[in-house]
Amino acid sequence: MAVNAKKVAVYVVVVFGLYVIITDPRTAADYVLIGFQGVSDAASALGDFATWVANGGK
């Protein structure tokens, strides 16, 4: 049952993504940019944390 719910959820997300891309590509590009910016910020924060830990928490 859980596998079917997961498949349905993935299908809904894919269909919604295609709908947004087809109907408003500029907004879809903005969403992708926001996503990549979030990943970049998270990686930067992890790097800062690792540097802080490597320096003994100073």
Side-chain angles (χ1 to χ4, degrees):
M1 184 70 174
V3 175
N4 290 336
K6 184 178 178 181
K7 285 182 182 179
V8 169
V10 169
Y11 180 72
V12 168
V13 169
V14 168
V15 169
F16 177 72
L18 290 174
Y19 171 77
V20 170
I21 290 169
I22 292 169
T23 59
D24 196 2
R26 191 173 301 250
T27 302
D30 290 340
Y31 290 154
V32 170
L33 182 64
I34 290 168
F36 280 129
Q37 187 64 43
V39 170
S40 174
D41 291 345
S44 177
L46 284 173
D48 291 343
F49 176 73
T51 302
W52 178 77
V53 169
N55 289 332
K58 297 178 183 176

